[in-house]
Amino acid sequence: MKLLQRSLVARIIASLLAISGMALISITLTMAMSNSTRGDAAAINVAGSLRMNAYQIMGALQRVEYGPQETNEERLNSVEQLETLVARFDQRLYSAALEQSIPLDEHHEARHQLEKIQTYWQRTLSPALEDAPTGDGIALDAFHSMIATLVSDIEILVTQLENSTEAKVRLLGLMQVLFLVLIAIVVLISLYDVRHNLVLPLRQLMVLAREAAQRNFTPRSQIRGSDELALLGDTFNTMSAELASSYAALEDKVSRKKLELERSNQAMRVMHDASRSLYGGGNDLCSSAAPMLRELEELLTLGPIRLSLNDPFDQREMPVLETHSRTRPEYCRDQHCHACLIDPRPLEIMASDQAQCLLLPISVGDTLLGTLEVWYPNERLNDSTRRLLTILADQLATAVYLQRRIEEEQHVTLINERTIIARELHDSLAQSLSYLKMQVARLERMQQKDATKEAQAAVFDELRVGLNSAYRQLRELLTTFRLKLEGPGLQSALRQTVDEFTQRMGATVELNYDVPPYLLNPNEDIHVLQIIREALANTHKHAQAHWAAVTVRFADAQLLVRVEDDGIGLEDDSSPPMHYGLVIIRDRATTLNGELSIANRPTGGIRIELVFTPLTARLIQQQPTAADSDSHFGTGAS
């Protein structure tokens, strides 16, 4: 009972079982009543036929006793007919249809009436009818009275049977009405229970679910009871309270994350804006990094920040930058810079117990360039702030590394330029001066030996030629070193050279240049430029040309340098004259490890071609190992 009171499902199942049980009982009783009335119609029919049979017996009896004179044969037929009717009556009176339709209870009025008719038939009427054909029987009026009594008893039996059948039908109808009323009552009770304990609570729960879908967790379930929906309502109330709390916590977390992301975005913007000045190379690290670090302190609510770099020679740590400093650092090289002294604040946070220090390495690869010291309040740094500080350390490491590399490259470039100038002076002017020095010594010996004027004149002619050649070489070197490069690399110098010789020759000089940028090193640039200038100078002096072309093209890991004209060409294609300019060209080609060819063009003029593999292409073909690369990288970083 307690389960039925508490469980809505149990109540609904009980209602369905009650309705189904009553319907089953009603059907069972209906079938039983139908079976009980199955032989009543046949019994009524048999009883009615007994009454008709009694009248037929009476008619046959009259024909036998008091009919007109008939022949013996006709009389015998009448007697047989009477016997047949008597036997039929006896058969019907004791028939199974009549016996089975009447209850066996002796106190039942239909059973009593049937036994009365059977007794009267056996003891009175049937013996009298047996004696009637012999003439020994009673009078006809007596038969009339006896048959009338029998018919009256049969009518009473028929009436009793009809009343019994009608009573069964009325009982069946009453039972049907009773069960219909009971089923209707159970259905109404179930509908009321379903409406008040299922439909209305479900509607309320649906409203709560829609409100929860709209992020409104304030409504609460008002379902009372101990059934499933009441338990569901209590659970929904608990869930709504927990969801409201969780949603509020999530909103707070989202707002904090949003502020954190905005702060991180601003910090990334500050670092991005400062990267141009950091990577510029010309600005001092203090003036470019100090404002960025100070802005990051304000955004991330931390600080101060101190940057220390390692000496590349003895690995001694040197503080180079501090966002809030009372005094100028000892290493300071610019007394007019106030990057460290802007808005100074005492460093109480570093001396207090409520501060912690985060040390981040300033490193590139395996090379440690320094450390970044970040002080922050005694609270745990979130992951985003740690990532930003790591990015800041990497950015500073890249800036420091690039600054060192730029300084090293500038130093190496300066040394290379001096080496190139020294080599050029040695390969050209120094050799000419050495030759002149030997001629002067020769002339001195000739004067000591009182040589003839003709012999000395030959030496003077050689001195004059040597001085002219040295002067020409000096002018070429000065012209080469005074070239103003309007763009990076060899192409700009070649354009100036082509323009120069176009004006000097009064003829068209074409330039075809197809070389990737930064392919040649400065030494190779100078050699290629000098070869082209020497070839154009020879064209200007000796070729009598009206057109010239310079081609510089890189293909198949080789550089092709070609200078051609439409001049008079060479007398002997196999052995061109070994003038001083051609000697210089061959020496420079040998220095570049190139192949030089000088030959006449089929259409007239001369073609000078140089093919060599640049140093960068040779390095790519050699494919240095990772250990060599790391060693080279470490040397550059140091």
Side-chain angles (χ1 to χ4, degrees):
M1 292 301 294
K2 290 183 179 180
L3 179 62
L4 291 177
Q5 292 176 359
R6 293 180 180 178
S7 177
L8 179 63
V9 176
R11 292 202 301 271
I12 294 175
I13 293 175
S15 301
L16 293 177
L17 291 177
I19 294 172
S20 301
M22 287 186 289
L24 182 61
I25 293 173
S26 175
I27 293 171
T28 303
L29 292 177
T30 300
M31 293 177 63
M33 295 296 294
S34 299
N35 290 330
S36 65
T37 58
R38 181 176 298 175
D40 291 349
I44 293 173
N45 187 23
V46 172
S49 64
L50 288 176
R51 182 175 49 188
M52 178 62 65
N53 204 173
Y55 286 121
Q56 290 176 353
I57 292 173
M58 187 63 192
L61 185 60
Q62 289 180 352
R63 287 193 298 272
V64 171
E65 293 293 335
Y66 302 101
Q69 294 295 324
E70 297 175 351
T71 60
N72 292 330
E73 185 178 357
E74 291 178 351
R75 180 177 175 79
L76 290 174
N77 289 334
S78 298
V79 172
E80 290 178 359
Q81 184 178 7
L82 176 62
E83 292 177 354
T84 302
L85 291 175
V86 171
R88 183 184 301 171
F89 186 89
D90 186 74
Q91 180 182 3
R92 290 179 176 176
L93 182 61
Y94 294 97
S95 64
L98 191 60
E99 289 287 342
Q100 293 176 359
S101 63
I102 298 175
L104 298 177
D105 187 8
E106 296 179 356
H107 301 288
H108 193 276
E109 57 181 6
R111 171 59 63 179
H112 178 71
Q113 185 66 26
L114 177 60
E115 291 178 352
K116 179 181 177 181
I117 294 173
Q118 290 176 348
T119 302
Y120 183 75
W121 168 260
Q122 291 178 356
R123 295 180 181 181
T124 304
L125 188 57
S126 177
L129 291 176
E130 290 178 357
D131 296 335
T134 59
D136 297 332
I138 60 177
L140 184 61
D141 293 336
F143 276 110
H144 276 288
S145 176
M146 294 170 63
I147 290 176
T149 301
L150 180 62
V151 169
S152 176
D153 292 337
I154 292 173
E155 288 180 353
I156 292 173
L157 178 62
V158 171
T159 302
Q160 289 177 350
L161 292 175
E162 289 178 352
N163 292 335
S164 176
T165 302
E166 290 178 357
K168 292 179 180 179
V169 172
R170 285 194 299 271
L171 179 60
L172 180 61
L174 290 176
M175 289 172 56
Q176 293 289 334
V177 171
L178 176 62
F179 280 106
L180 286 176
V181 171
L182 292 177
I183 291 174
I185 292 173
V186 174
V187 168
L188 291 176
I189 293 174
S190 300
L191 291 177
Y192 178 83
D193 189 22
V194 168
R195 175 178 174 77
H196 286 80
N197 296 314
L198 180 61
V199 177
L200 295 180
L202 281 178
R203 289 179 181 176
Q204 187 176 356
L205 291 176
M206 288 296 296
V207 172
L208 294 178
R210 284 194 295 267
E211 292 295 329
Q214 300 296 327
R215 298 187 182 90
N216 182 15
F217 304 107
T218 55
R220 292 293 182 267
S221 172
Q222 304 298 327
I223 304 174
R224 298 291 180 267
S226 57
D227 55 10
E228 291 86 349
L229 292 181
L231 179 60
L232 183 61
D234 294 338
T235 305
F236 196 92
N237 290 338
T238 305
M239 181 187 69
S240 297
E242 293 178 355
L243 284 177
S245 177
S246 300
Y247 192 76
L250 286 176
E251 284 185 340
D252 181 65
K253 186 176 181 180
V254 167
S255 61
R256 286 189 284 105
K257 285 291 184 181
K258 183 178 180 181
L259 293 176
E260 184 177 336
L261 287 176
E262 291 178 353
R263 185 175 60 181
S264 300
N265 188 22
Q266 294 177 2
M268 292 295 293
R269 189 181 299 112
V270 169
M271 289 190 288
H272 176 268
D273 295 339
S275 61
R276 184 174 301 175
S277 59
L278 278 175
Y279 301 149
N283 296 329
D284 188 23
L285 184 63
C286 298
S287 60
S288 58
M292 175 187 67
L293 296 179
R294 196 169 286 111
E295 290 185 23
L296 291 177
E297 286 180 350
E298 295 179 359
L299 288 174
L300 303 178
T301 62
L302 47 80
I305 300 176
R306 178 185 295 169
L307 175 63
S308 300
L309 297 180
N310 294 339
D311 192 313
F313 299 101
D314 57 5
Q315 298 299 321
R316 179 171 53 91
E317 187 176 90
M318 299 183 301
V320 297
L321 177 62
E322 189 173 322
T323 54
H324 301 281
S325 177
R326 293 179 181 272
T327 59
R328 188 183 299 276
E330 296 180 0
Y331 73 94
C332 185
R333 295 173 294 178
D334 187 2
Q335 297 297 320
H336 299 287
C337 175
H338 301 282
C340 295
L341 302 178
I342 298 176
D343 187 22
R345 292 184 299 176
L347 304 180
E348 295 88 356
I349 188 173
M350 296 176 62
S352 64
D353 296 334
Q354 298 180 353
Q356 295 184 11
C357 180
L358 176 65
L359 291 178
L360 297 173
I362 305 297
S363 60
V364 175
D366 296 332
T367 304
L368 182 63
L369 303 177
T371 56
L372 184 67
E373 184 178 336
V374 182
W375 290 86
Y376 60 94
N378 194 10
E379 297 177 358
R380 181 179 179 272
L381 286 178
N382 52 42
D383 295 336
S384 61
T385 304
R386 287 183 178 271
R387 285 194 295 269
L388 287 174
L389 292 177
T390 303
I391 294 173
L392 173 62
D394 294 340
Q395 191 173 16
L396 292 175
T398 304
V400 172
Y401 176 75
L402 288 178
Q403 187 176 12
R404 290 187 178 181
R405 291 292 295 176
I406 290 172
E407 292 175 356
E408 292 176 1
E409 290 292 337
Q410 290 175 351
H411 181 67
V412 172
T413 301
L414 180 60
I415 294 177
N416 288 336
E417 290 178 354
R418 292 179 178 178
T419 303
I420 291 170
I421 294 174
R423 184 184 298 112
E424 291 296 323
L425 292 175
H426 176 270
D427 294 342
S428 58
L429 192 58
Q431 295 180 3
S432 298
L433 292 177
S434 298
Y435 174 75
L436 292 175
K437 183 178 179 181
M438 288 187 294
Q439 295 298 329
V440 169
R442 176 186 176 191
L443 182 60
E444 289 178 350
R445 288 194 299 271
M446 292 177 68
Q447 289 179 352
Q448 291 176 359
K449 295 179 179 180
D450 296 329
T452 61
K453 292 183 178 181
E454 290 78 5
Q456 293 182 9
V459 176
F460 279 118
D461 290 338
E462 292 181 358
L463 284 175
R464 187 181 299 108
V465 173
L467 286 174
N468 291 333
S469 177
Y471 180 69
R472 183 178 64 83
Q473 293 177 15
L474 178 61
R475 285 188 305 167
E476 288 292 331
L477 289 176
L478 292 176
T479 302
T480 300
F481 292 132
R482 287 177 179 176
L483 287 175
K484 295 180 180 179
L485 300 179
E486 297 178 355
L490 179 63
Q491 185 177 8
S492 177
L494 289 179
R495 289 190 182 278
Q496 296 180 39
T497 300
V498 167
D499 294 340
E500 175 189 346
F501 280 93
T502 298
Q503 295 177 2
R504 291 170 59 182
M505 294 172 55
T508 302
V509 179
E510 298 178 357
L511 175 63
N512 299 316
Y513 188 88
D514 185 11
V515 179
Y518 309 110
L519 177 68
L520 304 177
N521 59 32
N523 187 29
E524 293 171 337
D525 283 340
I526 292 297
H527 282 302
V528 171
L529 180 61
Q530 288 288 35
I531 290 172
I532 293 174
R533 290 184 64 85
E534 189 66 34
L536 290 176
N538 289 336
T539 300
H540 172 55
K541 292 179 181 179
H542 308 292
Q544 302 177 9
H546 300 87
W547 169 86
V550 177
T551 301
V552 182
R553 183 173 67 250
F554 181 75
D556 298 331
Q558 288 186 331
L559 187 71
L560 171 65
V561 180
R562 178 189 300 149
V563 180
E564 53 187 347
D565 58 58
D566 61 351
I568 61 176
L570 301 172
E571 295 180 0
D572 188 359
D573 195 7
S574 61
S575 59
M578 295 303 294
H579 294 292
Y580 188 76
L582 292 179
V583 173
I584 293 176
I585 292 177
R586 291 186 182 276
D587 289 341
R588 293 186 183 276
T590 303
T591 302
L592 293 174
N593 295 323
E595 297 180 1
L596 180 67
S597 63
I598 302 175
N600 288 327
R601 299 172 65 241
T603 58
I606 193 173
R607 176 186 293 119
I608 300 175
E609 285 188 355
L610 171 65
V611 178
F612 71 96
T613 301
L615 179 62
T616 54
R618 289 198 297 270
L619 292 177
I620 293 174
Q621 291 176 356
Q622 291 174 2
Q623 295 180 352
T625 60
D628 296 337
S629 300
D630 294 341
S631 175
H632 176 71
F633 177 78
T635 303
S638 62

